[in-house]
């Protein structure tokens, strides 16, 4: 292969990178901020009223649960809850924005126990909230009032794996990263990857239709989930753990539970199609001056990398500043950090030589065309992780700097940065955005490969009105431009009030009909997803 | 690249192929057999009773439909139906196995007309059957009694296409091949491919969750359909034609209509994610001696071809004999035809040189390991089509030889040929299988890449008992081995009686609950999919 001048420049920057990248990756700072008192959800959302028909937990109920679960799988605590108490993390969501006041958490260890619990709760009108890794960012996995938490972390067995078809069957409580490590030994991988992989659970991934970093390559949960075991509110166990890739015997019932956020039933088992682990992975970071260049780089990547492209992420300069500050980093950014935009590309293929050749050709074209101004290619797995970290640490970093709002839009890629600029302009004109102001550190990043934009910003305090101001502006903007106000984060409690604006009455009627069909008493994760009438 | 001895042998056979393949592809024979009298479905299935609450068509109904549709979009014919009459093909299914007795076919040209028709039918208890290209093989797209046919062929506009995201929005009546040709000009392709592509429609593909030849690479409809426009029986138009790849705003309502076979609503619009057309396509046919070799060849293909493998089909020697006979072919089979098994592999990638290198290496390994005994690689598009034809013409060929039964199983690949051998043995021992006997030409082929086996056989006559005998044996076998009795063909009318054996009472209860929710009067494609209680 003959290297063009620009490709050589890329190769040079690889060497440069090799000498400047941090050896040990990121040091995570411990943010004391996370331990602050999170106000109750009901104080932020006074319009929410506890449903009258739900019973409060009685001694009889506790006695029953003790017949189902062993004592160490029941956590009951009616003392005042503080950030230090054991019950606190069960009631508080990942971003410290929502807090419930449950006093009972149940930890089933098998499907029959889940069935026994739900049947009893349904009969006795006890509301429940299913909880996986509690890494959701829409407040969907924590109680609003005193709902009983059904925490799935103790149902975490890998039930079976077939190394010919690549189909794995797991308990709902299996952690994503644990499953990926298990599969790695067999030469396979989980087809989704999230920043929260170390904590999030497969049942939660299914219930929230998790998207993540490689959806553009491997598709979504609706395509990769082959079967589910679900417990309905009345205690019926629906065993639909098919391991078949094709099965058209009647309605595909599992689909309606994918992304239902635990409001229809509880996912206790998942049958998942897993792809073979790639023999060759490459990660590249490039710097660009305009968002038009980002789009052009993506278009060229689809042409040149095609079947080996597994991720195309972008972030803006503000994101880098926040990661440096929020993670307390002293290490230099691996490429020129004065560009306005950055992209991370990942390739996954079966032949390192071929993949390298495709990447070299692509990167050469990028530089020659003046689309990218600089770039680095990771030389080993450690460097790949380091490059990925700059992208993956953005949410954690901004969270470390103070209360943070997070947004998750789907829209045509050309609109991405128009939305960011329009938002900045709107809040700047009103004197609300900037250091020391109501909103600060407004940044943007996202999955270009599947049209998913994240916007985050720090907020000065917990005044619900402040939240609503930004919510109103960006949600209206998204709806006006035919985008989705939640591409992958779901509705939970945080966006339930916007459902009437982004769905037609016909759609809401259908959702309510499905909810009433499967959960007639409304005990499953109440107040979430479907707006009250 | 240094060629190994075995790779060279492969290259040689390429040259050989080049000189022996038919230039003009296949000549389709006209089978007079297809024009025979197909008995009414109700005569084969006397247990089916017309639902009493359905009204019969009156003059008032016709008058109403004339206010909605122009006269040339209404076909009403109460004369006796014969194979030559214009109404015949609307009442008879693709394999000439099922025939209804409808006298009214409506051809809406827009969504509002569909809504007006369904609202009227729902109010007046007139049963309907939605009909696309009528290429379904489970009798799902033709009436059982006198249901009104709503034929979608005149709703065939491509509504929009975005060449950045690859999202296309089409009317439900657009023909698959027409859409693919439209996309080809833009550098994109439909992510599914079926033998029936020249006739089948996107709305039907969605309603039957069509699988086909490249599902292993591009995934199923649940992953590729981004949005649907659906008309509910009460005339509500649910406009959910999202063009977003990610959208987690509430329940993913479209999913339950994918594969519902028109029993819940009528699909009038489809938003579909389409991949870029590959720059490089290769097709290879290999001959093997045992089914273990087929599995080994598949395993090696997943390793060596990985991300470029787009299809892995197999068929047995019996299939070749039937194609030769049924298509009236004088041309030689492109490779040694005395092997017991054959596989067709297709690669799709972005770099012909890389793909060729991967294929050469793979094929070399196959021959060196003694897995394949012979093979050919197509040298141009015409040869690719010719190789594909040997696989795609199997159903048409056996259909040309007489009444044919077709089966469609999903199961672990290692079981594929055990099922075929067990079936042969069972019917041979009873003197039922062989030339001139009740069953003949029993053959097998299928999509190894996604665990989908097709078995077909000719049957001597239309005695329903004969059908039931084979149905009973193979369906029981599949259920016993945890397979699916319909991987991609669906339930329709042909397998509805087996639903109680392959689904749990809990699953059937859920299906009935969904049916009652969306179609409380049961007017949508009655008698199909869900067994009567």
């Amino acid at each position: 292969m003959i290297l063009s001048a620009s490709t050589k420049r890329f190769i040079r920057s690889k060497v440069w990178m090799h000498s400047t990248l941090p050896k040990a990756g990121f040091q995570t700072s411990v943010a004391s901020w996370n331990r602050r008192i999170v106000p109750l959800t009901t104080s932020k959302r006074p319009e929410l009223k506890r449903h009258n028909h739900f019973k409060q937990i009685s001694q009889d109920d506790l006695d029953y649960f003790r017949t189902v679960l062993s004592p160490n799988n029941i956590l009951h605590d009616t003392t005042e809850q503080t950030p230090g108490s054991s019950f606190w993390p069960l009631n508080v969501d990942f971003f410290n924005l929502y807090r419930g006041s449950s006093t009972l958490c149940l930890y089933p260890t098998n499907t029959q126990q889940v069935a026994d619990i739900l049947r009893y709760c349904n009969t006795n009108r006890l509301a429940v909230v299913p909880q996986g890794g509690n890494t959701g960012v829409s407040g969907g996995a924590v109680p609003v009032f005193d709902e009983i938490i059904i925490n799935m972390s103790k149902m975490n067995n890998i039930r079976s794996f077939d190394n010919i078809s690549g189909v794995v069957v797991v308990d709902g409580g299996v952690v994503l990263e644990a499953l990926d490590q298990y599969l790695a030994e067999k030469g396979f991988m989980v087809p989704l990857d999230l920043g929260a992989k170390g904590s999030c659970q497969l049942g939660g991934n299914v219930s929230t239709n998790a998207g993540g970093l490689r959806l553009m390559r491997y598709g979504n949960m609706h395509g990769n989930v082959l079967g589910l075991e679900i417990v309905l509110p009345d205690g019926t166990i629906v065993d639909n753990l098919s391991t078949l890739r094709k099965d058209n015997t009647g309605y595909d019932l599992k689909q309606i539970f994918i992304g239902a956020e635990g409001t229809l039933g509880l996912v206790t088992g998942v049958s998942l199609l897993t792809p073979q682990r790639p023999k060759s992975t490459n990660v590249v970071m490039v710097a660009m001056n305009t968002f038009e260049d980002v789009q052009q780089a993506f278009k060229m990547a689809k042409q040149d990398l095609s079947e080996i492209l597994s991720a195309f992420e972008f972030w803006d300069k503000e994101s880098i500043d926040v990661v440096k500050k929020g993670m307390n980093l002293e290490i230099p950014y691996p490429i020129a950090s004065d560009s306005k935009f950055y992209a991370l590309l990942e390739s996954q293929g079966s032949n390192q030589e071929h993949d390298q050749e495709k990447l070299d050709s692509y990167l050469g074209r990028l530089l020659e065309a003046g689309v990218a101004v600089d770039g680095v290619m990771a030389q080993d797995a450690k460097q790949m992780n380091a490059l990925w970290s700059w992208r993956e640490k953005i949410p954690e970093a901004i969270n470390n700097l103070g209360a943070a709002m997070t947004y998750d839009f789907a829209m045509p890629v050309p609109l991405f940065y128009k939305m960011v600029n329009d938002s900045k302009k709107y809040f700047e004109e009103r004197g609300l955005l900037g250091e020391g102001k109501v909103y600060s550190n407004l940044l943007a990043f996202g999955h270009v490969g599947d049209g998913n934009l994240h916007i985050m910003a720090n907020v000065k305090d917990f005044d619900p009105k402040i939240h609503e101001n930004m919510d109103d502006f960006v949600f209206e903007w998204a709806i006006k431009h035919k985008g989705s106000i939640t591409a992958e984060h779901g509705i939970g409690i945080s966006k339930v009030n916007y459902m009437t604006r982004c769905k037609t009455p016909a759609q809401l009627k259908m959702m309510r009909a499905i909810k009433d069909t499967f959960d007639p008493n409304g005990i499953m994760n109440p107040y979430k997803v479907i707006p009250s009438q």
Side-chain angles (χ1 to χ4, degrees), chain A:
Chain A
M1 191 186 67
I2 297 158
L3 291 174
S4 66
S6 53
T7 308
K8 277 186 195 141
R9 191 177 143 217
F10 228 97
I11 304 293
R12 271 204 308 281
S13 60
K14 281 200 274 182
V15 178
W16 169 76
M17 173 185 175
H18 200 55
S19 61
T20 55
L21 256 193
K23 288 276 180 276
F26 284 71
Q27 301 292 319
T28 303
S29 64
V30 178
S32 59
W33 175 84
N34 275 342
R35 297 224 187 88
R36 72 173 188 275
I37 296 289
V38 181
L40 287 170
T41 303
T42 48
S43 71
K44 292 167 65 179
R45 304 278 284 270
E47 79 279 10
L48 288 167
K49 302 291 174 215
R50 187 179 182 282
H51 290 183
N52 279 335
H53 69 286
F54 291 145
K55 206 170 80 72
Q56 285 182 325
I57 299 157
S58 67
Q59 190 55 45
D60 282 355
D61 302 329
L62 291 169
D63 289 345
Y64 172 78
F65 293 129
R66 285 184 187 123
T67 68
V68 177
L69 301 174
S70 65
N72 57 336
N73 290 333
I74 299 174
L75 186 60
H76 182 52
D77 187 352
T78 53
T79 61
E80 198 196 343
Q81 294 186 12
T82 59
S85 63
S86 61
F87 220 100
W88 187 262
L90 299 167
N91 266 324
V92 177
D93 88 309
F94 183 73
F95 271 137
N96 295 283
L97 292 174
Y98 298 97
R99 182 159 71 94
S101 47
S102 178
T103 59
L104 179 63
C105 180
L106 305 176
Y107 295 88
T109 59
N110 61 52
T111 305
Q112 189 56 53
Q113 289 178 350
V114 175
D116 292 342
I117 292 166
L118 284 185
R119 190 186 310 104
Y120 181 87
C121 290
N122 191 47
T123 307
N124 293 281
R125 307 291 190 274
L126 288 160
V128 305
V129 51
Q131 186 173 76
N134 197 10
T135 57
V137 293
S138 300
V142 290
V144 175
F145 294 94
D146 59 344
E147 298 92 274
I148 297 171
I149 298 168
I150 304 181
N151 185 294
M152 294 297 289
S153 57
K154 294 193 180 182
M155 259 190 83
N156 57 1
N157 287 313
I158 293 170
R159 298 191 193 177
S160 69
F161 176 69
D162 176 358
N163 69 358
I164 297 175
S165 63
V167 178
V168 69
V169 179
V170 300
D171 283 352
V174 166
V175 169
L176 174 55
E177 195 169 48
L179 176 59
D180 197 55
Q181 283 164 359
Y182 169 89
L183 291 171
E185 288 167 27
K186 322 271 183 190
F188 288 77
M189 62 182 276
V190 183
L192 78 157
D193 191 15
L194 313 177
K197 61 189 157 202
S199 308
C200 66
Q201 298 172 7
L202 267 296
N205 297 149
V206 167
S207 297
T208 58
N209 186 29
L213 304 165
R214 295 195 183 98
L215 184 137
M216 66 171 293
R217 169 71 170 272
Y218 298 105
N220 64 15
M221 302 299 275
H222 290 285
N224 290 317
V225 171
L226 299 185
L228 293 178
E229 180 187 81
I230 297 154
V231 182
L232 298 180
D234 68 1
T236 303
I237 298 171
V238 186
D239 174 7
N240 189 22
L241 280 175
S242 168
T243 56
L244 305 169
R245 182 134 188 208
K246 286 176 168 178
D247 183 12
N248 275 353
T249 49
Y251 303 157
D252 196 348
L253 296 168
K254 65 175 181 284
Q255 298 290 352
I256 205 70
F257 294 87
I258 298 176
E261 302 187 37
T263 62
L264 299 176
L266 204 150
V267 174
T268 52
V270 181
S271 170
L272 189 73
L273 182 70
T274 72
Q276 287 197 104
R277 219 165 183 89
K279 290 179 196 155
S280 145
T281 301
N282 293 287
V283 177
V284 169
M285 190 193 280
V286 290
M288 287 163 288
N289 284 328
T290 68
F291 193 71
E292 282 66 40
D293 288 336
V294 176
Q295 294 176 64
Q296 183 59 25
F298 176 53
K299 205 172 161 184
M300 289 163 73
K302 288 213 294 182
Q303 286 164 359
D304 293 2
L305 305 176
S306 185
E307 71 276 8
I308 63 166
L309 185 63
S310 55
F312 192 111
E313 300 284 310
F314 100 100
W315 56 93
D316 57 11
K317 191 177 180 311
E318 289 77 0
S319 298
I320 305 169
D321 299 338
V322 160
V323 172
K324 283 185 177 170
K325 212 164 24 164
M327 307 306 290
N328 229 344
L329 287 182
E330 306 267 315
I331 56 160
Y333 194 61
I335 49 175
S337 61
D338 52 351
S339 292
K340 189 85 191 77
F341 295 99
Y342 298 88
L344 181 147
L345 289 86
E346 185 189 69
S347 74
Q348 296 193 328
S350 59
N351 184 311
Q352 174 64 27
E353 202 185 309
H354 291 169
D355 295 358
Q356 189 73 48
E357 211 175 303
K358 287 189 178 90
L359 271 167
D360 285 346
S361 155
Y362 166 71
L363 297 171
R365 279 223 298 152
L366 267 195
L367 289 171
E368 263 164 39
V371 173
V373 292
D374 195 10
V376 285
M377 193 184 295
Q379 299 300 297
D380 55 35
K382 197 178 276 183
Q383 292 193 352
M384 285 180 207
N385 288 336
L387 289 188
W388 263 117
S389 287
W390 283 100
R391 158 65 189 84
E392 289 188 292
K393 292 293 179 189
I394 300 169
E396 189 179 339
I398 194 166
N399 207 22
N400 286 347
L401 295 178
M405 306 178 62
T406 182
Y407 294 102
D408 166 42
F409 302 103
M411 62 181 73
V413 175
L415 293 178
F416 272 23
Y417 225 72
K418 179 172 166 43
M419 181 185 207
V420 178
N421 285 333
D422 283 2
S423 305
K424 282 183 177 172
K425 187 161 171 261
Y426 179 85
F427 292 108
E428 269 164 6
E429 280 175 359
R430 280 153 187 77
L432 297 170
L433 178 61
E435 188 142 2
K437 299 199 173 153
V438 172
Y439 306 115
S440 57
N441 296 324
L442 194 153
L443 57 83
F445 59 98
H447 320 293
V448 177
D450 39 66
N452 187 181
L453 170 72
H454 294 294
I455 293 180
M456 294 189 74
N458 286 122
V459 282
K460 219 172 181 178
D461 57 42
F462 274 101
D463 181 355
K465 195 68 204 133
I466 288 175
H467 268 252
E468 273 172 33
N469 281 346
M470 190 173 271
D471 284 2
D472 275 347
F473 180 80
V474 292
F475 288 160
E476 282 304 319
W477 198 101
I479 292 166
K480 192 176 142 198
H481 290 83
K482 298 205 167 187
S484 166
I485 62 166
T486 182
E488 56 180 13
H489 288 174
I491 296 296
I493 191 73
S494 70
K495 289 164 215 141
V496 69
N497 290 344
Y498 292 88
M499 282 291 275
T500 50
R501 298 195 218 176
C502 67
K503 293 283 156 185
T504 62
Q507 289 170 321
L508 289 174
K509 190 178 163 199
M510 285 169 77
M511 288 184 198
R512 289 194 178 103
I514 289 171
K515 172 77 175 173
D516 291 344
T517 300
F518 291 111
D519 182 23
N521 296 331
I523 65 158
M524 297 301 300
N525 215 4
Y527 322 107
K528 319 273 176 69
V529 184
I530 298 177
S532 56
Q533 277 176 306

